[in-house]
Amino acid sequence: MSQQARSVLSLTITALTIIPQYRIVTPQGFIAASAGIIVLGVTERPASAGELVAVTAIGTAIVEAGGAISQGSVIAPDGIGRAVAGVPSVTQVGIALQSAAAAGDLIEVLLS
């Protein structure tokens, strides 16, 4: 499980719902809850509704896995903003730089 990330660009958004740390989010401040949705990046810390939160938009980020993921796999958001294996160009949020054995694992992802 990774604890490193290299943020090249971090943006601040207002969370419109409670957002846990290391979740994939939209530019509007929601958790990205489906594949194919426009994604801004990954939260750097948890946030309550109405709170400002930093989001890594470019670079690498730590993301909570929603299941097993192989290193090198394309990732997409699951229903609660965790990373799951996706389909290139259709659902791609990034590429897993590490493997996840199970849901809840933290992995480093190269955002795209």
Side-chain angles (χ1 to χ4, degrees), residues 23-43:
R23 296 298 172 99
I24 301 166
V25 294
T26 69
Q28 295 81 16
F30 292 104
I31 292 173
S34 64
I37 195 167
I38 294 175
V39 168
L40 178 63
V42 177
T43 56

Side-chain angles (χ1 to χ4, degrees), residues 1-103:
M1 296 198 312
S2 180
Q3 293 298 313
Q4 66 180 12
R6 293 172 187 91
S7 178
V8 175
L9 176 63
S10 182
L11 302 171
T12 303
I13 62 169
T14 301
L16 295 181
T17 61
I18 295 171
I19 302 175
Q21 186 174 20
Y22 307 134
R23 296 298 172 99
I24 301 166
V25 294
T26 69
Q28 295 81 16
F30 292 104
I31 292 173
S34 64
I37 195 167
I38 294 175
V39 168
L40 178 63
V42 177
T43 56
E44 297 175 9
R45 62 173 185 77
S48 298
E51 188 176 13
L52 294 177
V53 63
V55 175
T56 299
I58 298 175
T60 69
I62 304 303
V63 181
E64 183 177 340
I69 299 172
S70 299
Q71 183 178 12
S73 294
V74 168
I75 62 138
D78 68 2
I80 56 174
R82 300 176 303 180
V84 294
V87 177
S89 76
V90 175
T91 62
Q92 185 168 339
V93 171
I95 299 170
L97 298 179
Q98 298 173 311
S99 297

